[in-house]
Amino acid sequence: LALSVILMLVGLLGILISRNMTRILMSVFVVMLALVINFVTWGFYCDSNYEKTNMIAFFVLFIFALQFVLALLVLCKIFQRDEYLDVEKMDDK
């Protein structure tokens, strides 16, 4: 659980401090990984069976990875349009 808490805090700090959309996206992914580690840890403590917990964690990580790839594609399109990924410089178009 300590690893999960450390990853969660690092991810939240990255989300709050960073202005670059790519860094914010990576920080969100770190927070998601912390949630999966927390889920697997609690699943082992409650059930002592890794089979169900690992299957669900693998499915959740797969969904997170797909979301990450789609978000990167969107960021590439934004970069092609605006030539920067700074949150403060972006405007609604």
Side-chain angles (χ1 to χ4, degrees):
L1 290 176
L3 176 65
S4 175
V5 170
I6 291 170
L7 283 175
M8 180 73 74
L9 292 176
V10 167
L12 289 176
L13 186 68
I15 291 170
L16 294 175
I17 291 177
S18 182
R19 291 184 191 172
N20 191 341
M21 288 296 291
T22 308
R23 288 186 189 158
I24 292 172
L25 182 63
M26 288 188 297
S27 297
V28 168
F29 194 69
V30 168
V31 169
M32 290 179 194
L33 287 176
L35 291 173
V36 169
I37 291 172
N38 193 4
F39 174 73
V40 169
T41 305
W42 282 108
F44 178 72
Y45 283 136
C46 294
D47 194 19
S48 296
N49 186 2
Y50 275 130
E51 293 174 6
K52 294 177 186 175
T53 306
N54 283 345
M55 283 178 33
I56 294 171
F58 179 74
F59 179 71
V60 169
L61 281 174
F62 182 71
I63 298 298
F64 288 161
L66 287 177
Q67 289 176 349
F68 189 73
V69 168
L70 290 175
L72 280 176
L73 289 173
V74 169
L75 287 180
C76 286
K77 290 295 182 184
I78 291 173
F79 183 74
Q80 286 176 356
R81 183 188 70 182
D82 296 337
E83 296 182 3
Y84 52 82
L85 291 175
D86 193 359
V87 176
E88 294 180 359
K89 291 181 181 178
M90 287 186 182
D91 56 349
D92 295 331
K93 289 185 179 181

